[in-house]
Amino acid sequence: MATADGPARRARREASVFEHMQSENVQEWDRTMATFSHARYELPDGRVVDGREDVLRYWIEGRTAVPDQRNELIRLEHVDEARVLIHFWLRGTPVATGDPFEITLWALYDFDGNDLMTNERVYRDRPTVDQIQGRVTTDGRPAAPA
């Protein structure tokens, strides 16, 4: 059931996703970090990057390998009261090969009560209901009990 604050909450969360994506594109990591109450990524291969320092290292290492990496929103949807799902383009040119890439990915953002992100889960394909609910990991394994 949606609360009276539903439309305003959705707008704040959308703004947070837009700020997150835009600040990643220009590599303004303080802005990106400010979209989280707890910085955490769950990646398509099952790796988890947890905590401010590890997430910052992940961003910097990624942009060292692909300095022009950028994202572009395809679609955004609110899948429930606590999560926003996006479909997006990821583009860039790895330094090691010089060959540009362009792929589509999905990201699921979990939010806290203050409309800040607590997690970004990245998927190669649209996540299943079990993945959205946290019962299955980003790489398809059963999730550990909370």
Side-chain angles (χ1 to χ4, degrees), residues 7 15-16 20 37 51 53 64 81-82 105 109 113 131 135 138-140:
S16 184
H20 184 88
S37 63
E53 295 306 314
T64 300
E81 292 296 316
L105 295 169
Y109 299 97
Q131 287 173 316
R135 294 185 291 264
T138 54
D139 63 344

Side-chain angles (χ1 to χ4, degrees), residues 71-90:
N71 59 63
E72 179 184 339
L73 184 66
I74 297 170
R75 182 167 187 249
L76 179 147
E77 66 181 276
H78 296 264
V79 293
D80 59 27
E81 292 296 316
R83 296 174 191 93
V84 172
L85 178 66
I86 65 166
H87 189 202
F88 67 100
W89 286 104
L90 185 67

Side-chain angles (χ1 to χ4, degrees), residues 20 24 32 36 38-43 49 58-59 86 88 106-110 117-123 138:
H20 184 88
E24 283 180 324
T32 314
F36 284 106
H38 178 83
R40 178 183 167 93
Y41 280 78
E42 296 177 30
L43 303 173
V49 183
Y58 165 72
W59 289 334
I86 65 166
F88 67 100
W106 297 82
L108 183 69
Y109 299 97
D110 298 304
M117 298 171 185
T118 60
N119 195 23
E120 178 179 342
R121 294 184 261 166
V122 182
Y123 302 89
T138 54

Side-chain angles (χ1 to χ4, degrees), residues 86-135:
I86 65 166
H87 189 202
F88 67 100
W89 286 104
L90 185 67
R91 298 179 176 107
T93 309
V95 172
T97 66
D99 295 328
F101 69 85
E102 178 179 79
I103 59 173
T104 62
L105 295 169
W106 297 82
L108 183 69
Y109 299 97
D110 298 304
F111 285 88
D112 66 15
N114 294 316
D115 302 320
L116 292 171
M117 298 171 185
T118 60
N119 195 23
E120 178 179 342
R121 294 184 261 166
V122 182
Y123 302 89
R124 289 184 182 93
D125 298 304
R126 184 183 175 90
T128 66
V129 171
D130 284 335
Q131 287 173 316
I132 290 170
Q133 295 301 319
R135 294 185 291 264

Side-chain angles (χ1 to χ4, degrees), residues 51-65:
R52 180 181 177 82
E53 295 306 314
D54 287 345
V55 167
L56 187 57
R57 185 177 314 108
Y58 165 72
W59 289 334
I60 292 169
E61 288 173 358
R63 293 327 181 279
T64 300

Side-chain angles (χ1 to χ4, degrees), residues 5 7-17 111 113-115:
D5 190 37
R9 170 156 275 169
R10 285 175 176 240
R12 287 191 302 271
R13 290 179 176 179
E14 288 175 14
S16 184
V17 169
F111 285 88
N114 294 316
D115 302 320

